[in-house]
Amino acid sequence: MHSSIRPLLLPLLLTATIAIATHGATAPSEETDGNWIRPARDYASTRFSSLAQITPQSVKQLGVKATFSTGYTRGHEAAPLVVNGTMFIVTPFPDILYALDLTKPGLPIKWKYDPKVVSSAQGVACCDVVNRGASYADGVVVYNTLDNRTVAVDANSGQLRWSATLGDISRGETMTMAPLIVKDKVLVGNSGGEMGVRGWLTALDLKSGAIKWRAYSTGPDKDVLIGPRFKPYYAAEKGQDLGIHTWPGDGWKQGGGSVWGWVSYDPSSNLVYYGTSNPGPWNAEQRPGDNKWTSGTFARDADTGEAVWFYQAAPHDLWDYDGVNENVLVDLNINGQMRKTMLKADRNGYLYVIDRTNGSLISADPFVYVTSTMGIDMKTGRPNENKEKTPSVGNTVRNVCPAAPGGKDWQPTAYSPHTGYLYIPGNNLCMDYEGMEANYIAGTPYVGANVKMYPGPGGNRGEFMAWDPVARKKVWSIKESFPVWSGVVATASDVAFYGTMDGWFKAVNAKTGEQLWRFKVGSGIVGQPVTYLGPDGKQYVAVLAGVGGWSGAILAGSLDARDGTAALGMVNAMADLKQVTTKGGMLYVFGLP
Amino acid sequence: MHSSIRPLLLPLLLTATIAIATHGATAPSEETDGNWIRPARDYASTRFSSLAQITPQSVKQLGVKATFSTGYTRGHEAAPLVVNGTMFIVTPFPDILYALDLTKPGLPIKWKYDPKVVSSAQGVACCDVVNRGASYADGVVVYNTLDNRTVAVDANSGQLRWSATLGDISRGETMTMAPLIVKDKVLVGNSGGEMGVRGWLTALDLKSGAIKWRAYSTGPDKDVLIGPRFKPYYAAEKGQDLGIHTWPGDGWKQGGGSVWGWVSYDPSSNLVYYGTSNPGPWNAEQRPGDNKWTSGTFARDADTGEAVWFYQAAPHDLWDYDGVNENVLVDLNINGQMRKTMLKADRNGYLYVIDRTNGSLISADPFVYVTSTMGIDMKTGRPNENKEKTPSVGNTVRNVCPAAPGGKDWQPTAYSPHTGYLYIPGNNLCMDYEGMEANYIAGTPYVGANVKMYPGPGGNRGEFMAWDPVARKKVWSIKESFPVWSGVVATASDVAFYGTMDGWFKAVNAKTGEQLWRFKVGSGIVGQPVTYLGPDGKQYVAVLAGVGGWSGAILAGSLDARDGTAALGMVNAMADLKQVTTKGGMLYVFGLP
């Protein structure tokens, strides 16, 4: 992936920061600089592209080269994939997969696959009926459906190769995350942290869809695939069957820890890295204990699923601080020593630099305004509690920052080995939070909290920033009116692209943050931009517009702005979204003249 | 409107053809070359723009300048309006009106008006839940809602000025047409020719919404506003209460003749011209007689509604040949004499040139392949019957051409005084047709026909053509795979724009038909393109994409392609539409670099 880096930049790479070359023997042959075969582009989840035709100078000439209406208007969170002249797009429910022919004018539809998703699955989706996209390998496009199937579709014909049913909507489960394909396995997880599900990550055989292993996030060690190889770094993760003993009674059975975010992979160690969601219910008084293994990060053997380490960013989570955000695997020069690290801009507001070989913290610094905790104890790895902000039933704590969607939610960062910066699409939201008694009824919301969110200090609800993980500081930032709920792509020409919920697709100088170009798309952006080479050899940038997701639920779900607690308190912070954008579902492809 | 015509073209205008200058004292002050205040642009319904910045040469550089998602994905048939820096867009059901600010980057929403249309209105819309747009005058934007209201919305504030309820969905009525505002009156009509409605045109007071007059299309002369001024040209239209006597029993009460198409206006005579829909039910054996005043054209006094003449293009209509198509009012030099004419590309497949002062035919020539009739008898004005094609109950007639949507349906033509050509977006569909007994139950379909449509000769289902109404011949034509279901705009620089159902927006040389430019929009086009001057003084072209309407019902209404008779037989002809486009609702604005 460094092949096209201009020589003059190489010294910078060698002395300051280096993204690991993760594409060894295991990378599919379609994993080229010009393709984009999985949402994060590479196994390391950098979302960095070596393409450099679109420069900080030429980007000002970007224009709309093609558009496509998906036909659906809920939140479009997926990344388009590009594989050798074909683009693959997954819509939100009903999870239609389109193959568009990039080799012909007007992006004609090659084929369309409709998984016929059960309509009632919409009723158990916590936060809009999104789909975060597909992954490609070995001639198949694999993705998840809201009604808990993983489907593998022949990339050429659009015919179903196999379908595996993995969860149950009657237990509140859905599937919204994008699979990661590692060698002969497809890694997928469930959603439903607000529905009393029991979370899991499952490995399926790429050829047949057969389950190879499943690792639960709660329960006995045997279910969590904790065995002799499990060597957590911190004391709190050591002990037998903590997935039971850190819960009251049978609480772990509906304890959340769902796996609806991102999975990264390091071929050199054969480990996968992914996070677990909040514990359930939100009302923490109902679940005394650390609630293992929720709100944290697992490292597992990709072949067997065996747990290798776990780090819990939010033990006994109080505020819906899921641990599902992407883990960006990069090797950094820390104090003169090259370290195999993992960068994680966590929901709890801290930017973690973690030694990915053992789960020990190298640094953890707030990247947004944080009141909910008082720094991270580097000895224990645990956040220092802020007693004033501990909610309880009948007691409303105010000004909890970040709010439940965290300093950053699922919307993925990008890391540029050129600049050494992590580009973070962030939120600046705080909340008032009151615990409530939650009753578990299978397949219904299991939350127990009364929440109202509002803008954090400064009034801007979002911020797009560059973070230097070595210097441990924010380099530049752009304030945005709404939470920045889109992904990011960074390129070798030092341009970074992201979108806003009010519909601007923006290009900025990756070194300075200077805005270089913008275009107003038809609907707010909560999707993931990608860049690729067209069959004409030219670089393009593509993104889905279609506002929605948790932050856009007021619009996508047609919620009433007068009920501020709707969408788990998000509506209170987003009442004006309806005035500035509209529902939609549109692909945009931009290119140079 | 001739101000920007280049001098060298003036001789052509004077010697060959002249479009009438209809904008005298009665034209609103906002009726400028740069605005577009009603769907047809002018009272004469020419859809001709004097703008000429975009030329046959420069059009090749057109690019997407702005887009906007309406948030709805049924058929988008409306024309955007432009009034002094604001664009107004009406969506299909639920008939949302947006005001977009053209003076600011990214077309921000100025305001949005939601008429809260009753959801059940969708159940009585025959052919998708479309809206053909709004009209502007005196600071208000006026349009119709599917649940039978005409609403006037303050153009600056988005506040409702008045709302008039005019029909009843429980009787099968809806409203889908675009109003025409003439002086102090708003002219609106009802839809429901397939639901056993009784058609009418109603004039409302522009200030208050009060009904000033209503003219029914069937029933006694007093209801039809037939009185001493009524002087039809042909014998068959002469007689008392023909709106009763040309029907069996009380058949006229649910006899159709709805007014869902276009209204034109000639200020020099103060007459309005509009057409009436098919009689109901389709099964003609249930309604012996001419079924006045359906499937024809009325001329009425704009102030009083008094009928002045009527011409019936399809007496005792056998094949759903509505008379609602637009009447284009132009003065033509016919055999050395300037005539006040009206051009009408009728559903029945004939291009009529009519003396609009008295309703007499000047010429009537087939502009598509016609088997249903055998020419027009110029003495009687009536089509010559083709006995072989007369359907009856239990007897299927085959190869009836044009099919029910006619040689052209509602999709409006444009007329260029530069070229003297009428630009026709046409259909090339034939059908097999069998009569069936229909039972009238209020608010339910009242059709009585089993229809299957298919492509006409040549296999192309659509054709975009230039027709010379003086020479009475087709000048050039472009075959299109699908019916050309979009409107047309023609400009003073001899460029004509139209869209296709598979999503290509095209510019052609208005003189030669040479394709100059095309862009694939996100969804098939069934809307009406317009052109205007932006606040920057530059010419733009705008169109809504969003496939649907009768021809696109298979997609917009998610109909099963296996039932060919669905959508009144249209589905049989359109099964492949789903393979080439998707549902959508997107505004596109194109401009030069």
Side-chain angles (χ1 to χ4, degrees):
Chain A
M1 121 190 212
H2 289 160
S3 57
S4 73
I5 290 177
R6 285 166 294 170
L8 76 162
L9 288 173
L10 277 173
L12 176 70
L13 291 173
L14 295 174
T15 56
T17 59
I18 290 196
I20 63 166
T22 51
H23 320 309
T26 63
S29 62
E30 289 86 357
E31 184 153 352
T32 64
D33 287 351
N35 282 343
W36 194 284
I37 71 168
R38 63 177 78 84
R41 213 196 90 81
D42 51 33
Y43 282 139
S45 296
T46 68
R47 289 176 166 81
F48 173 78
S49 169
S50 65
L51 303 182
Q53 290 180 17
I54 298 170
T55 66
Q57 291 71 44
S58 68
V59 71
K60 295 173 176 67
Q61 298 176 272
L62 272 194
V64 177
K65 293 297 171 184
T67 59
F68 176 76
S69 171
T70 69
Y72 301 93
T73 60
R74 300 300 291 259
H76 282 63
E77 292 191 350
L81 302 184
V82 174
V83 184
N84 298 348
T86 302
M87 179 178 284
F88 300 97
I89 289 172
V90 181
T91 73
F93 172 87
D95 301 316
I96 305 296
L97 175 64
Y98 291 103
L100 305 179
D101 190 343
L102 298 176
T103 68
K104 294 186 182 144
L107 297 193
I109 300 168
K110 278 178 81 168
W111 49 256
K112 167 185 167 182
Y113 172 73
D114 180 354
K116 309 280 184 194
V117 177
V118 171
S119 180
S120 53
Q122 296 176 90
V124 291
C126 79
C127 321
D128 201 3
V129 292
V130 300
N131 190 308
R132 296 188 186 88
S135 285
Y136 170 92
D138 291 355
V140 291
V141 180
V142 185
Y143 71 106
N144 296 316
T145 66
L146 197 66
D147 61 357
N148 299 297
R149 285 175 287 153
T150 302
V151 294
V153 180
D154 186 286
N156 286 317
S157 69
Q159 297 298 304
L160 182 70
R161 289 266 192 96
W162 53 258
S163 169
T165 300
L166 299 172
D168 184 353
I169 57 172
S170 71
R171 289 201 315 264
E173 285 177 300
T174 52
M175 289 174 74
T176 60
M177 58 87 80
L180 185 77
I181 303 172
V182 172
K183 296 184 290 189
D184 61 347
K185 292 188 181 62
V186 180
L187 301 175
V188 296
N190 61 353
S191 303
E194 282 62 51
M195 306 294 288
V197 309
R198 184 183 176 204
W200 45 255
L201 179 74
T202 298
L204 306 172
D205 181 64
L206 176 59
K207 288 271 178 292
S208 67
I211 295 180
K212 306 307 280 186
W213 52 260
R214 170 172 283 188
Y216 284 95
S217 304
T218 66
D221 285 353
K222 68 175 172 50
D223 289 4
V224 188
L225 304 190
I226 284 178
R229 284 185 65 186
F230 189 58
K231 308 271 190 240
Y233 188 83
Y234 297 102
E237 271 83 48
K238 293 171 182 169
Q240 201 158 14
D241 291 328
L242 295 182
I244 292 176
H245 303 317
T246 59
W247 292 90
D250 282 352
W252 58 271
K253 290 183 178 172
Q254 52 265 4
S258 61
V259 182
W260 60 272
W262 303 105
V263 189
S264 303
Y265 173 62
D266 183 348
S268 70
S269 61
N270 198 39
L271 296 184
V272 292
Y273 301 89
Y274 71 96
T276 56
S277 87
N278 62 293
W282 283 20
N283 178 10
E285 291 183 288
Q286 288 179 245
R287 44 173 174 77
D290 267 5
N291 312 130
K292 304 291 183 200
W293 308 87
T294 65
S295 289
T297 304
F298 269 116
R300 293 187 183 275
D301 185 283
D303 293 329
T304 64
E306 292 169 285
V308 173
W309 59 256
F310 180 82
Y311 167 72
Q312 192 171 34
H316 186 65
D317 165 53
L318 299 176
W319 302 288
D320 187 39
Y321 289 163
D322 296 55
V324 301
N325 289 1
E326 72 288 355
N327 300 295
V328 183
L329 314 183
V330 294
D331 294 358
L332 297 180
N333 185 326
I334 308 282
N335 298 327
Q337 194 183 350
M338 285 308 295
R339 301 285 297 274
K340 287 180 178 291
T341 80
M342 181 187 100
L343 308 181
K344 186 169 201 166
D346 201 90
R347 283 271 278 267
N348 70 7
Y350 292 91
L351 191 294
Y352 287 92
V353 182
I354 298 178
D355 183 328
R356 72 175 183 273
T357 66
N358 63 8
S360 65
L361 302 192
I362 296 171
S363 63
D365 303 286
F367 66 98
V368 292
Y369 178 64
V370 176
T371 67
S372 53
T373 56
M374 305 180 76
I376 307 296
D377 182 331
M378 297 302 284
K379 293 226 163 49
T380 63
R382 297 168 78 89
N384 298 309
E385 286 179 41
N386 182 351
K387 299 279 188 202
E388 280 180 20
K389 301 296 183 189
T390 301
S392 56
V393 173
N395 171 33
T396 301
V397 289
R398 302 192 187 278
N399 204 30
V400 178
C401 314
K408 189 188 79 69
D409 200 271
W410 74 276
Q411 61 269 34
T413 56
Y415 175 83
S416 167
H418 268 201
T419 61
Y421 303 156
L422 186 71
Y423 299 94
I424 307 175
N427 310 320
N428 179 34
L429 295 171
C430 300
M431 65 180 170
D432 296 346
Y433 188 111
E434 178 190 8
M436 294 168 65
E437 192 69 22
N439 293 302
Y440 178 73
I441 300 167
T444 67
Y446 186 52
V447 178
N450 193 8
V451 179
K452 276 198 181 181
M453 302 184 205
Y454 40 84
N460 56 300
R461 286 161 287 189
E463 185 175 3
F464 181 67
M465 70 186 87
W467 184 272
D468 184 332
V470 175
R472 300 170 55 182
K473 63 179 172 67
K474 195 190 293 186
V475 184
W476 52 255
S477 109
I478 299 167
K479 290 178 168 48
E480 293 284 358
S481 175
F482 293 94
V484 184
W485 211 261
S486 90
V488 186
V489 62
T491 74
S493 50
D494 293 331
V495 180
F497 294 92
Y498 72 103
T500 67
M501 290 186 68
D502 50 349
W504 289 102
F505 188 55
K506 299 186 177 184
V508 300
N509 185 310
K511 289 179 179 164
T512 65
E514 180 199 359
Q515 182 181 291
L516 302 170
W517 169 87
R518 66 175 188 168
F519 186 86
K520 180 83 169 289
V521 297
S523 172
I525 300 174
V526 297
Q528 303 168 55
V530 305
T531 187
Y532 64 93
L533 293 181
D536 57 1
K538 292 185 179 172
Q539 183 184 358
Y540 295 92
V541 182
V543 70
L544 286 171
V547 77
W550 187 7
S551 61
I554 185 173
L555 197 52
S558 301
L559 303 180
D560 191 328
R562 288 169 296 188
D563 179 8
T565 63
L568 299 163
M570 181 65 93
V571 159
N572 193 62
M574 303 296 285
D576 57 338
L577 186 64
K578 284 184 173 180
Q579 271 92 66
V580 299
T581 191
T582 45
K583 290 193 278 194
M586 299 156 65
L587 169 75
Y588 287 80
V589 177
F590 299 94
L592 295 173
Chain B
M1 117 194 217
H2 289 160
S3 57
S4 74
I5 292 176
R6 286 166 295 171
L8 76 160
L9 288 173
L10 277 173
L12 174 70
L13 292 172
L14 295 173
T15 58
T17 60
I18 290 196
I20 62 166
T22 51
H23 319 310
T26 63
S29 62
E30 290 85 357
E31 185 153 353
T32 64
D33 286 352
N35 283 342
W36 194 285
I37 69 169
R38 63 177 76 84
R41 213 195 93 80
D42 51 33
Y43 282 139
S45 295
T46 67
R47 288 175 166 83
F48 173 78
S49 169
S50 64
L51 302 182
Q53 290 179 19
I54 299 171
T55 66
Q57 291 71 44
S58 69
V59 72
K60 296 174 175 68
Q61 298 176 271
L62 272 194
V64 177
K65 293 298 171 182
T67 59
F68 176 77
S69 171
T70 69
Y72 301 93
T73 59
R74 301 299 291 259
H76 282 62
E77 293 192 348
L81 302 185
V82 174
V83 184
N84 299 347
T86 302
M87 179 179 283
F88 300 97
I89 289 172
V90 181
T91 73
F93 172 87
D95 300 316
I96 305 294
L97 174 65
Y98 290 105
L100 305 178
D101 191 343
L102 297 175
T103 68
K104 295 187 182 143
L107 297 193
I109 300 169
K110 279 179 78 168
W111 49 257
K112 167 185 167 181
Y113 172 73
D114 180 352
K116 309 281 186 195
V117 176
V118 172
S119 180
S120 52
Q122 295 175 91
V124 291
C126 79
C127 322
D128 201 4
V129 292
V130 300
N131 190 308
R132 297 188 185 88
S135 286
Y136 170 91
D138 290 355
V140 292
V141 179
V142 184
Y143 71 107
N144 296 315
T145 66
L146 197 65
D147 61 356
N148 299 297
R149 284 174 289 152
T150 301
V151 294
V153 180
D154 186 288
N156 285 316
S157 69
Q159 297 298 305
L160 181 70
R161 289 266 192 96
W162 52 259
S163 169
T165 300
L166 300 172
D168 184 354
I169 57 172
S170 72
R171 289 201 315 264
E173 285 178 299
T174 53
M175 289 174 74
T176 60
M177 57 87 81
L180 185 77
I181 303 173
V182 173
K183 296 184 289 187
D184 61 347
K185 292 190 181 60
V186 179
L187 301 175
V188 296
N190 63 351
S191 303
E194 281 63 52
M195 306 295 286
V197 309
R198 185 183 175 203
W200 45 255
L201 179 74
T202 299
L204 305 172
D205 181 63
L206 176 59
K207 287 270 177 294
S208 68
I211 295 180
K212 306 307 279 186
W213 51 260
R214 170 171 283 188
Y216 284 95
S217 303
T218 66
D221 285 353
K222 68 175 172 49
D223 289 3
V224 188
L225 304 190
I226 284 178
R229 285 185 64 185
F230 188 58
K231 309 270 189 240
Y233 189 83
Y234 296 104
E237 271 84 47
K238 293 174 182 169
Q240 200 157 15
D241 290 328
L242 295 182
I244 292 177
H245 303 318
T246 58
W247 293 88
D250 282 351
W252 58 272
K253 290 183 178 172
Q254 53 266 2
S258 61
V259 182
W260 59 272
W262 303 105
V263 188
S264 303
Y265 173 61
D266 183 349
S268 70
S269 61
N270 198 40
L271 296 185
V272 292
Y273 301 90
Y274 71 97
T276 57
S277 88
N278 63 293
W282 283 21
N283 178 11
E285 291 183 287
Q286 289 178 247
R287 46 174 173 78
D290 268 3
N291 313 130
K292 304 293 182 198
W293 307 89
T294 65
S295 288
T297 304
F298 269 116
R300 293 186 183 276
D301 184 284
D303 293 329
T304 63
E306 291 168 285
V308 173
W309 58 257
F310 179 83
Y311 167 72
Q312 192 170 33
H316 186 65
D317 166 53
L318 300 176
W319 302 288
D320 187 40
Y321 289 163
D322 296 55
V324 302
N325 289 2
E326 72 287 357
N327 300 295
V328 182
L329 314 184
V330 294
D331 295 358
L332 298 180
N333 185 326
I334 309 281
N335 298 327
Q337 193 184 352
M338 286 307 294
R339 302 285 298 272
K340 285 180 178 291
T341 79
M342 183 187 99
L343 308 181
K344 186 167 201 166
D346 201 271
R347 284 271 278 268
N348 70 8
Y350 292 92
L351 191 295
Y352 287 91
V353 181
I354 298 178
D355 182 330
R356 72 177 181 273
T357 65
N358 63 8
S360 65
L361 302 192
I362 296 171
S363 63
D365 303 286
F367 66 97
V368 292
Y369 179 64
V370 176
T371 66
S372 53
T373 56
M374 306 181 75
I376 307 297
D377 181 332
M378 296 302 283
K379 291 226 166 47
T380 63
R382 295 168 80 90
N384 299 310
E385 286 179 41
N386 182 352
K387 297 280 186 200
E388 280 180 21
K389 300 297 183 188
T390 301
S392 55
V393 173
N395 170 35
T396 301
V397 289
R398 302 192 187 278
N399 204 31
V400 178
C401 315
K408 189 188 79 69
D409 200 89
W410 74 277
Q411 61 270 33
T413 56
Y415 175 83
S416 167
H418 269 199
T419 61
Y421 302 156
L422 185 71
Y423 299 94
I424 307 175
N427 310 320
N428 179 34
L429 296 171
C430 300
M431 65 179 169
D432 295 345
Y433 189 111
E434 178 190 8
M436 296 169 65
E437 192 70 22
N439 293 302
Y440 178 73
I441 300 167
T444 68
Y446 186 52
V447 178
N450 193 9
V451 179
K452 277 197 181 181
M453 301 183 206
Y454 40 84
N460 56 300
R461 286 161 287 188
E463 185 176 3
F464 181 67
M465 70 186 85
W467 183 273
D468 184 333
V470 175
R472 300 170 54 182
K473 64 180 171 67
K474 195 190 290 186
V475 184
W476 52 255
S477 109
I478 299 166
K479 289 180 167 47
E480 294 285 357
S481 176
F482 292 94
V484 184
W485 211 261
S486 89
V488 186
V489 61
T491 73
S493 50
D494 293 330
V495 180
F497 294 92
Y498 72 103
T500 68
M501 290 186 68
D502 50 350
W504 289 102
F505 188 54
K506 299 188 176 183
V508 301
N509 184 309
K511 289 179 181 166
T512 64
E514 180 200 358
Q515 182 180 292
L516 302 170
W517 169 88
R518 65 175 188 167
F519 185 86
K520 180 84 167 288
V521 296
S523 172
I525 299 174
V526 297
Q528 304 168 55
V530 305
T531 186
Y532 64 92
L533 292 181
D536 58 0
K538 291 184 180 173
Q539 183 184 358
Y540 295 91
V541 182
V543 70
L544 287 170
V547 78
W550 186 6
S551 60
I554 185 173
L555 197 52
S558 302
L559 304 179
D560 191 329
R562 289 171 295 188
D563 179 8
T565 62
L568 299 163
M570 181 66 91
V571 158
N572 193 62
M574 303 294 289
D576 57 339
L577 186 66
K578 283 183 174 181
Q579 272 91 66
V580 299
T581 191
T582 45
K583 289 193 278 192
M586 299 156 65
L587 169 75
Y588 287 80
V589 177
F590 299 94
L592 296 173

